[in-house]
Amino acid sequence: MASSSIVLSEEQFQCSICLDVFTEPVSIPCGHNYCKACIRGYWDSTELCQCPMCKEKFDRRPELRVNTFISEMAAQLKKLAPVEATPITPGQFQTTTLTKSGEVPCDVCTDTKLMALKSCLVCLASYCETHLEPHQILASFKKHKLINPVENLEDRVCKKHERPLELFCKSDQTCVCQFCTETDHKSHKTVPIEEEYGERKTQMRKTKGKVQKMIQERLQKVKEIEQAVELSKRDAEKEIVDSVQIFTALARCIERSQSELIEVVEKKQNAAEKRAERLIEELEQEITELKTRSTEIEQLSFIEDHLLLLLQSSPSICTLPQTKTWSDISVHSGLGVGTVRRTVSQLQETLNKEMEKFPKVKLKRMQQCAVDVTLDPDTACPHLILSEDRKQVRYGNIKLNLPANPERFSFNPRLLGKDGFSSGSFYYEVQLKEKTCWALGVARESINRMGDNSLSLVNGYWTVGLVDMKYIAGADRAPLSLREKPQKVGVFVDYEEGEVSFYDVEARSHIYSYTGCTFTAKLYPLFSAGTNPSGDNSAPLIICPIKSD
């Protein structure tokens, strides 16, 4: 039977927590494996019971049982693991080939070379069990430095003093012999190679752990970016489908209006042609009658006998035949500017109805960027009263005794959201029922919060609001013309695109947009409850959960 060889890799049987070969390996439900003690320690140190690798969460701690197959393979790997050489500073000498015991031939054997059992750093030779005996018996040889057999023993000896490299100089970060500490490295800090080896191994293990963690973080970030790209792709596909539907509807409206206009024009033209035909018939009939009269007059004009002329003609021959007055009669289709204007006006009205569907589509997409906004009491004007859940705010006539805070609005009845945004898009909705004075939008983090200042772009505000029964965009804009009084307003911000838009949520209509803005600082949701001097503005501003259709 043919045999197959399997190459065991330490990385395949390495716990990702302790970064060492498995000890009592256990498998958890997601399929990943850990040392039994390591995974227990990890779960003891965190509130969540989840896999350290894939982050899959478990409702309760799984029952841990040792995976006998992995345990046996890990044990075999430990037995076959090569003896690690002392770490050497690069550039000090050539890297020594790591080997397992018995793979280096004895330097003394002549005929049949036996494999060496030990290598001597003093003799610079490797010995099999037989030739190693003097080093185990003779007192002078017992002082020699024996190590597991390795090749290139000369690389482990100081080139200057021909002594074993047994120490490590921390000052120069290089391996040295005992004589080096008495000459070139006399005042330097040196430690045994074994001690530096232990420290270096510990550092490497820690570094490896950090590197593994960084790898996992970056893999997770790659996954997040890929998911974001996929989501963006789906959004783009929806955008294309929606826009195609809208523009198709618009094109159909235009085509229908064009067809109707052509039909009207053609009907009027046909009517004009038929009328022209009737008029031509009448004209031709009159022309025939006039020609007849002309012929009669011409014939009578040749009679020179006075009596005969009077007998053959009547007085009516000297009068004109009865005809129409054609000077005021014209043939025109009546296709003036009015017809086209009426058609274009009707088309515009139809297009406006179709365009009203577009804000609905855009609003639905904006609602997918919804964030959970809560009010920040540390920024609230002392006259404002907040609900316990930090979702409502109203104006109170009594000024509250609040601690001094440079982030607090001292005069204007305003406050900010708890969290700010410096990238991406976000959206939130606010109920305004029964409010007679209010303002919503976003504000720059660095706005002046002391004293009275207007909601202007210069001051760092992008808002819409109701003031003196007029809807306005900030303090810099003309009054807004709204068909309906908005009861719930949605605020959308695209940081990178420099856009702040406001929508009437219930009417699914666009209110106003700031575009072409340049944002360089963090933006915070802004709320102004308005004052309440007459008592009709006591209703609160309410941050609403998003209900997307």
Side-chain angles (χ1 to χ4, degrees), residues 386-415:
L386 279 67
S387 62
E388 291 185 3
D389 61 359
R390 303 291 189 263
K391 295 293 184 179
Q392 301 185 27
V393 58
R394 62 182 177 87
Y395 186 84
N397 292 323
I398 300 175
K399 185 177 181 180
L400 302 176
N401 185 18
L402 299 175
N405 186 349
E407 297 180 355
R408 188 182 307 282
F409 288 94
S410 63
F411 181 80
N412 298 112
R414 304 170 189 163
L415 76 165

Side-chain angles (χ1 to χ4, degrees), residues 239-481:
E239 189 82 30
I240 291 172
V241 171
D242 293 338
S243 62
V244 167
Q245 290 178 348
I246 292 172
F247 282 104
T248 300
L250 295 178
R252 287 174 180 170
C253 290
I254 295 172
E255 290 174 358
R256 185 166 56 251
S257 296
Q258 182 186 30
S259 177
E260 291 173 355
L261 177 61
I262 291 173
E263 185 178 353
V264 170
V265 171
E266 289 177 345
K267 284 183 178 179
K268 289 191 175 185
Q269 177 62 25
N270 291 334
E273 290 178 358
K274 290 181 179 180
R275 183 168 180 270
E277 289 176 0
R278 291 195 303 269
L279 293 174
I280 290 172
E281 287 178 0
E282 291 182 23
L283 285 168
E284 288 177 345
Q285 184 177 354
E286 290 186 359
I287 291 171
T288 301
E289 293 176 358
L290 290 171
K291 283 183 178 181
T292 301
R293 179 62 59 85
S294 177
T295 302
E296 291 176 353
I297 293 173
E298 186 177 0
Q299 290 175 351
L300 292 172
S301 66
F302 291 107
I303 300 176
E304 295 182 357
D305 188 332
H306 298 147
L307 180 61
L308 182 61
L309 176 63
L310 295 174
L311 292 174
Q312 292 186 0
S313 64
S314 64
S316 61
I317 199 167
C318 294
T319 61
L320 293 175
Q322 189 175 359
T323 60
K324 285 185 178 180
T325 302
W326 294 95
S327 59
D328 296 331
I329 296 176
S330 63
V331 178
H332 194 274
S333 65
L335 301 176
V337 177
T339 302
V340 178
R341 184 182 293 114
R342 284 193 300 273
T343 303
V344 171
S345 178
Q346 293 173 357
L347 173 62
Q348 185 176 3
E349 184 177 349
T350 304
L351 292 179
N352 288 338
K353 290 181 180 178
E354 290 295 332
M355 288 300 293
E356 287 178 357
K357 299 177 182 178
F358 185 70
K360 297 179 183 179
V361 174
K362 191 169 185 180
L363 178 60
K364 184 177 180 180
R365 185 151 296 112
M366 288 178 177
Q367 288 175 330
Q368 296 176 358
C369 301
V371 294
D372 184 17
V373 176
T374 55
L375 302 172
D376 185 358
D378 292 335
T379 65
C381 169
H383 280 284
L384 296 180
I385 301 174
L386 279 67
S387 62
E388 291 185 3
D389 61 359
R390 303 291 189 263
K391 295 293 184 179
Q392 301 185 27
V393 58
R394 62 182 177 87
Y395 186 84
N397 292 323
I398 300 175
K399 185 177 181 180
L400 302 176
N401 185 18
L402 299 175
N405 186 349
E407 297 180 355
R408 188 182 307 282
F409 288 94
S410 63
F411 181 80
N412 298 112
R414 304 170 189 163
L415 76 165
L416 301 176
K418 187 69 175 177
D419 300 316
F421 303 86
S422 56
S423 63
S425 301
F426 63 93
Y427 174 87
Y428 65 94
E429 294 178 354
V430 182
Q431 180 178 301
L432 310 166
K433 287 183 179 179
E434 301 179 6
K435 293 291 293 178
T436 59
C437 182
W438 54 268
L440 295 173
V442 292
R444 197 166 47 227
E445 184 177 20
S446 60
I447 53 174
N448 179 19
R449 310 180 192 194
M450 308 303 293
D452 186 14
N453 54 83
S454 64
L455 297 174
S456 64
L457 296 178
V458 176
N459 290 338
Y461 296 92
W462 292 265
T463 63
V464 297
L466 176 61
V467 180
D468 297 330
M469 303 307 293
K470 294 180 180 179
Y471 292 98
I472 61 173
D476 312 289
R477 305 286 174 169
L480 301 175
S481 178

